[in-house]
Amino acid sequence: MNSRDLVLIRQRAESVEHISPMLYGSRSENNTVRGMKSGTYSNMGVMTDFFKVSRMELIHGREINEMDVENRRKVCVLGREVYETLFEKDEDPLGQYIRLNGMFFQVVGVIRPLSEINVSSYPPRTVYIPFTTMQHTFMRGDYFWELVCTARKGYSASIVEEEVKSILRTAHDISPTDRTAVGSYNLEKEFLKFQGLFTGIDLLILFVGLGALLSGVIGISNIMLVTVRERMREIGVRRALGAKPYQILRQIMSESLLLTTLAGLLGFLAAVGILALVQSAMEINSEEGFSVFGPPLISFDLALGAMGILILSGAVAGLMPTLKALQIKAIDAIRD
């Protein structure tokens, strides 16, 4: 691929939002040096959109900008581990110079990734320089082997993949039926695999949760049936003294709802406490400040939904005991 391909993709690919070519520099022993400190690190030539594709967070300074690319500036952005190797703790790296593959570059920023999904290199151990600087300083010509891109809103990554490959086939006179000339890797496909896996896990949790809820409803219902049996004389006396059916119903249902809601609240608070401990452990064990999984949180909507289900479950649990209580005749209850 070459610069002309980039122009064609930007002009013709309606589904592409961000796009950046990538050029890799040599990785010889101790190729990154500052004073008496050195290390062996990857180095890449990229354009500004690369940092939008890879989702980076700035620790110091700025990312590579359009002026850097246009003017072929000898500037660089360091990964976090590169910075920690070449500089003292809390030392300001901005404006300092490092030697990369024999050439001096001025540091304009330090980054760390916001995701563990990386594009072709490990960001904390990579030095990024402008794409045009890599081309001309290290005499790489007008060719590159890889590019990355993202989809515009409303388009899937699969559409981007096919549209870009179609443009490249046409530009390089490749047969439309040749499926191997232009290689590609689509993270959407991997994402959908994980999404399917987690959907299955969600369904399993739903099944187990409904089973636990059902067993709880049956347990409370049985308790209330025993309570009704033990209070048969009391209910009979109340009926004989003129208690209305709805008053008996209110007594049984309120006890059932109270049991369910109180136990549910205790369980809910325990769950929130456990998730808080899990989140704290994840933050302590995350060296990069990120994790494969996001923080485990319970949303307000989920909390309201759970409480609604608990109240409904309490009503269902009290239904059979209530019907049993309403069937009690006053004379039979007193005789019992």
Side-chain angles (χ1 to χ4, degrees):
M1 294 179 284
N2 53 48
S3 300
R4 178 174 172 272
D5 295 327
L6 278 179
V7 174
L8 289 174
I9 292 171
R10 288 193 174 108
Q11 289 176 345
R12 300 179 183 178
E14 296 180 358
S15 60
V16 173
E17 182 180 23
H18 302 298
I19 184 170
S20 172
M22 297 185 296
L23 269 178
Y24 298 93
S26 60
R27 186 174 175 174
S28 56
E29 187 71 21
N30 292 326
N31 63 336
T32 309
V33 181
R34 178 179 178 257
M36 301 299 293
K37 297 181 178 182
S38 64
T40 304
Y41 296 108
S42 303
N43 51 98
M44 290 177 60
V46 297
M47 290 188 174
T48 56
D49 276 359
F50 177 84
F51 298 98
K52 298 174 183 176
V53 175
S54 295
R55 298 187 65 231
M56 305 288 190
E57 179 185 40
L58 281 168
I59 302 175
H60 297 283
R62 63 173 178 84
E63 298 167 347
I64 291 168
N65 60 33
E66 294 290 349
M67 294 296 293
D68 297 331
V69 175
E70 184 177 343
N71 296 321
R72 306 173 190 171
R73 291 175 176 169
K74 289 185 177 179
V75 296
C76 65
V77 174
L78 307 180
R80 185 187 59 81
E81 289 189 24
V82 182
Y83 162 71
E84 290 176 351
T85 299
L86 301 181
F87 293 86
E88 299 295 333
K89 186 177 181 181
D90 298 326
E91 183 180 357
D92 185 5
L94 303 182
Q96 303 295 321
Y97 285 85
I98 67 168
R99 193 168 75 249
L100 177 66
N101 295 333
M103 297 287 183
F104 283 93
F105 290 84
Q106 187 178 35
V107 178
V108 295
V110 179
I111 54 94
R112 66 179 176 188
L114 291 173
S115 168
E116 285 191 347
I117 299 176
N118 303 317
V119 181
S120 300
S121 69
Y122 184 55
R125 297 181 59 84
T126 303
V127 179
Y128 298 96
I129 66 174
F131 177 77
T132 51
T133 305
M134 176 71 81
Q135 281 183 313
H136 291 85
T137 302
F138 297 104
M139 296 179 290
R140 303 299 296 275
D142 191 37
Y143 299 100
F144 58 91
W145 302 104
E146 291 186 22
L147 62 84
V148 291
C149 52
T150 59
R152 290 185 187 275
K153 188 175 182 179
Y155 292 91
S156 70
S158 298
I159 293 176
V160 175
E161 182 180 22
E162 288 307 314
E163 190 173 25
V164 171
K165 290 170 75 172
S166 176
I167 292 170
L168 290 172
R169 289 192 193 100
T170 302
H172 292 271
D173 297 323
I174 299 169
S175 170
T177 59
D178 188 341
R179 312 305 297 178
T180 59
V182 183
S184 62
Y185 180 73
N186 184 353
L187 281 174
E188 180 187 52
K189 296 176 182 177
E190 303 304 316
F191 174 78
L192 290 175
K193 289 179 183 177
F194 277 100
Q195 192 176 47
L197 172 64
F198 285 116
T199 299
I201 293 173
D202 287 342
L203 291 174
L204 176 62
I205 292 172
L206 179 64
F207 179 75
V208 173
L210 288 175
L213 189 63
L214 180 60
S215 66
V217 167
I218 292 171
I220 291 175
S221 185
N222 285 335
I223 291 171
M224 295 309 300
L225 282 170
V226 172
T227 301
V228 169
R229 178 64 184 170
E230 290 176 345
R231 293 181 179 178
M232 184 175 284
R233 178 170 293 187
E234 174 195 332
I235 294 170
V237 170
R238 292 187 65 191
R239 292 294 299 275
L241 293 175
K244 304 293 184 186
Y246 79 86
Q247 292 175 322
I248 305 298
L249 183 146
R250 184 176 60 187
Q251 175 189 350
I252 306 301
M253 291 294 287
S254 61
E255 290 183 18
S256 176
L257 288 171
L258 179 64
L259 279 173
T260 311
T261 305
L262 183 60
L265 277 172
L266 291 173
F268 186 78
L269 292 173
V272 171
I274 291 171
L275 290 181
L277 291 175
V278 171
Q279 182 179 1
S280 178
M282 288 173 63
E283 291 174 352
I284 292 172
N285 294 326
S286 178
E287 295 180 358
E288 299 296 330
F290 60 83
S291 172
V292 176
F293 303 103
L297 301 172
I298 296 178
S299 67
F300 185 70
D301 292 340
L302 183 63
L304 288 179
M307 292 310 301
I309 291 173
L310 287 173
I311 293 171
L312 180 62
S313 301
V316 172
L319 188 60
M320 188 180 293
T322 301
L323 294 175
K324 185 75 173 176
L326 292 177
Q327 291 171 1
I328 297 174
K329 294 180 180 179
I331 190 65
D332 291 336
I334 294 172
R335 185 184 300 115
D336 181 75

